[in-house]
Amino acid sequence: MLFPLVERLARFMAILGGLVLTALIALTCVSVLGRGLNTFGHSAFLTSMSESAANALIATGVGPVFGDFELVEAGISFTIFAFLPICQLRKAHATVDIFASHFPRGLNRFLSTLWEVLLSAVILLITWRLFVGMEDKMRYAETTFILQFPIWWSYALSFGAAAIASVVAVYCAGASVVELISGRKLIDDMEGGVH
C-alpha cells in the first residue's frame, strides 16, 4: 500500500532534520566557544597574567562564527518542517484531553479525525504561504544582513520540507477519515507503533 512509502518519506525527513539540527548545535557551540575565547583573550585577567598569551590567543583569530545567527535562523525553520511529517504520521502532536477521556469512544474517534483534517488544512495553508513568501523574496532579491545570502533559499528549504509534510498530512487525514467510516485501523499512533 501507500503507507510504507509515506513512512519512509517521513523517516527520511526526520533523519535529515536531525542531521541539520546537529550541525546547527555544533555551529552554535563553536561560535559560543570562539566568542568566549575572544573575550578571554581581551580580558584584563589574561592580559595581567601574560600579555603575550593574550596577544597570541587574539592573533589566532578566534571568535564567533561569522553570521552564525543567520545560519541558525535559516536552519531551524527547515528542521521544524522536517520533523513535522514523522510527528504527523505518529500522531505525536501535543494534545490536551482533559475532557475527552470522559467522552464516548465514537465521539473521540470523530474528534480525532476532525482535528487531523483541520491540522492538515493548516499545514497546507502554511505550505502555500511559504511558497508565496519565497516568490516574494525572490522577486525583491532580499539577502541576509551579514552573510548576504538570498533569503529565498531558506524559504525554499522550508517550503520543500513543508510540501512533504503536506503530503504526509493529507495521507494521514485521508486515512483517519477511512478509519472513522470503516472502523479499520490503518495507522497506529505512537504508543502502538507501526508494523
Side-chain angles (χ1 to χ4, degrees), residues 106-159:
L107 179 58
N108 276 330
R109 282 196 328 250
F110 172 76
L111 289 175
S112 176
T113 301
L114 175 67
W115 291 122
E116 191 81 43
V117 170
L118 289 176
L119 182 57
S120 297
V122 168
I123 292 171
L124 287 167
L125 175 67
I126 291 170
T127 303
W128 168 57
R129 295 312 300 167
L130 274 171
F131 182 75
V132 170
M134 179 184 70
E135 285 182 323
D136 187 50
K137 300 301 178 189
M138 288 173 77
R139 188 175 321 111
Y140 294 108
E142 289 184 50
T143 61
T144 61
F145 183 70
I146 294 175
L147 295 177
Q148 295 293 306
F149 70 80
I151 293 176
W152 73 265
W153 289 357
S154 58
Y155 272 79
L157 289 172
S158 296
F159 169 72

Side-chain angles (χ1 to χ4, degrees), residues 18-171:
L19 291 173
V20 170
L21 185 58
T22 301
L24 292 175
I25 291 168
L27 172 76
T28 302
C29 290
V30 167
S31 189
V32 168
L33 180 63
R35 185 174 283 115
L37 288 173
N38 185 281
T39 301
F40 184 62
H42 285 93
S43 70
F45 173 75
L46 185 59
T47 306
S48 67
M49 296 287 287
S50 171
E51 193 168 331
S52 62
N55 289 335
L57 181 61
I58 293 168
T60 64
V62 70
V65 175
F66 189 68
D68 58 346
F69 66 91
E70 292 178 351
L71 294 171
V72 169
E73 183 179 344
I76 284 296
S77 63
F78 169 77
T79 60
I80 289 168
F81 290 106
F83 290 129
L84 195 55
I86 197 76
C87 191
Q88 186 76 10
L89 189 64
R90 300 284 188 218
K91 298 182 182 187
H93 295 292
T95 59
V96 179
D97 57 357
I98 296 170
F99 302 110
S101 60
H102 302 294
F103 292 162
R105 186 178 173 128
L107 179 58
N108 276 330
R109 282 196 328 250
F110 172 76
L111 289 175
S112 176
T113 301
L114 175 67
W115 291 122
E116 191 81 43
V117 170
L118 289 176
L119 182 57
S120 297
V122 168
I123 292 171
L124 287 167
L125 175 67
I126 291 170
T127 303
W128 168 57
R129 295 312 300 167
L130 274 171
F131 182 75
V132 170
M134 179 184 70
E135 285 182 323
D136 187 50
K137 300 301 178 189
M138 288 173 77
R139 188 175 321 111
Y140 294 108
E142 289 184 50
T143 61
T144 61
F145 183 70
I146 294 175
L147 295 177
Q148 295 293 306
F149 70 80
I151 293 176
W152 73 265
W153 289 357
S154 58
Y155 272 79
L157 289 172
S158 296
F159 169 72
I164 292 171
S166 294
V167 169
V168 173
V170 167
Y171 173 81

